[in-house]
Amino acid sequence: MMPDYVAGRNSVSEVLKSGRAVNKVFIARGNTEGSIRAIVGMIKERKIPLQEVDKQYLDKLTGERHQGIVAEVAPYEYVEIEDIIAIARDKGEEPLVVILADLEDPHNFGAILRTGEAAGIHGVIIPKRRGVQLNATVAKVSSGAAEYVPVARVANLVQAVEKLKELGLWVTGADMHGEKNLWQADLRGPLALIIGGEGRGIPKLLKEKCDFLTNIPMKGAISSLNASAAAAVLLFEVQRQRSKMEE
C-alpha cells in the first residue's frame, strides 16, 4: 500500500503527537528555524528518519503548501461505525456523529474535521464511493484534527443510517427546507448529523431516512451556507443545548 504524505508544520506536529506511524520526515535544506526546531526535536525523540532535501523535492511530493516539511506516514486507518459509538460510550457521552453525503471538496472535509474535533464529535462517516476520502489535502486543512477524529467508510450510507438508528441514535439532516430550525430542534440526545454535498444537498433516499430535517435561518440575500460552515453552526448548537442540559 502506498504511503500518504502530510504537509505543513502544524499538521506534521499533530501527526507526531498523535502517535500515528511515521516512516520518514523530509525538511527543506536549511529550514531549521522557528517551530521547525521543536518538530525536529520530536522527530529525533521518536527516532524517525529525518532527511534534508531541496524545496523542489517537497513540491513534487505534495501539491499542498508544505512550509518546508513533509512527513511520509502510513495510510489512514478507517474504523467501523460501532467503534465510533464505543468511543462515545467509553467517555460517558451521548454519541455525536457527522455523516458526509457525497461531499467532494477536500477543503470542506478538512474544515468539518477541524470544527468537529473542537465541537466534540465522536466520528465521521463517509461513503466509499462518490465522495472525498481522507488524503493529504484534508489532513492539511484539518490542522491536525484528522489525527484525532475517527472516520468510518461505508459502502451504503442508507444502511449506515439504519444501523445508527438501531444503536439508538436520532438522525437529522441539514436542509434549507427543514421543518425545524436549529433552535426549535431538540439536538441533545444521541445524534447523527447528515451534511449534504456541495450544490446538491442530501440525496433523496437518505433524506427520507432522517427523523427530522434541520434548517439554519438565513437573513441575508444568500440562501445557504457551504457544507463546512453549516456543519460548524449546527455542531456548536448541539453543544450549546447539551451544556444547558448539564447545568
Side-chain angles (χ1 to χ4, degrees):
M1 190 175 291
M2 294 293 291
D4 289 334
Y5 293 100
V6 173
R9 298 184 183 194
N10 191 58
S11 296
V12 172
S13 177
E14 292 301 332
V15 166
L16 294 167
K17 290 176 186 176
S18 73
R20 185 177 173 193
V22 178
N23 302 328
K24 183 186 292 188
V25 179
F26 303 92
I27 63 171
R29 192 165 279 110
N31 187 22
T32 57
E33 298 303 317
S35 58
I36 285 285
R37 187 174 297 174
I39 297 172
V40 169
M42 285 192 285
I43 294 166
K44 291 180 177 178
E45 186 177 328
R46 286 189 53 185
K47 297 181 172 56
I48 297 168
L50 178 64
Q51 183 176 348
E52 285 194 37
V53 296
D54 292 334
K55 176 182 175 298
Q56 290 76 11
Y57 182 79
L58 298 183
D59 295 339
K60 291 179 182 178
L61 283 183
T62 173
E64 294 299 305
R65 291 178 58 190
H66 49 69
Q67 299 174 306
I69 186 165
V70 175
E72 180 188 293
V73 298
Y76 283 98
E77 293 186 9
Y78 292 97
V79 302
E80 301 296 328
I81 291 175
E82 291 85 354
D83 297 327
I84 293 174
I85 305 306
I87 289 168
R89 304 298 191 203
D90 289 345
K91 291 181 176 180
E93 298 173 353
E94 297 283 21
L96 178 55
V97 181
V98 173
I99 301 171
L100 303 181
D102 301 345
L103 198 74
E104 295 181 347
D105 185 350
H107 293 86
N108 265 332
F109 189 2
I112 289 170
L113 286 174
R114 184 175 184 177
T115 301
E117 200 279 331
I121 67 172
H122 300 102
V124 172
I125 299 173
I126 62 174
K128 286 183 178 178
R129 298 177 180 82
R130 294 190 61 186
V132 67
Q133 307 296 299
L134 277 172
N135 57 33
T137 302
V138 173
K140 180 72 164 56
V141 175
S142 79
S143 294
E147 305 303 323
Y148 300 103
V149 179
V151 177
R153 190 169 56 167
V154 300
N156 188 301
L157 285 179
V158 171
Q159 291 177 4
V161 165
E162 291 172 345
K163 177 177 286 189
L164 289 170
K165 288 186 174 185
E166 291 172 3
L167 292 169
L169 277 71
W170 291 87
V171 179
T172 186
D175 187 273
M176 61 187 297
H177 302 298
E179 61 265 27
K180 298 181 180 181
N181 69 43
L182 74 166
W183 300 299
Q184 296 168 332
D186 186 348
L187 306 173
R188 296 172 295 175
L191 186 73
L193 169 64
I194 304 178
I195 301 294
E198 300 88 356
R200 295 190 304 274
I202 302 170
K204 185 174 183 292
L205 283 177
L206 202 56
K207 192 182 294 188
E208 291 173 351
K209 288 291 181 179
C210 292
D211 294 301
F212 58 94
L213 299 173
T214 304
N215 74 74
I216 300 171
M218 308 290 289
K219 289 192 174 183
I222 304 300
S223 61
S224 64
L225 300 173
N226 73 13
S228 59
V233 171
L234 288 163
L235 288 173
F236 279 100
E237 173 60 16
V238 172
Q239 292 309 319
R240 187 192 70 81
Q241 292 189 18
R242 289 184 173 188
S243 64
K244 293 287 284 185
M245 188 170 60
E246 293 170 1
E247 290 178 358

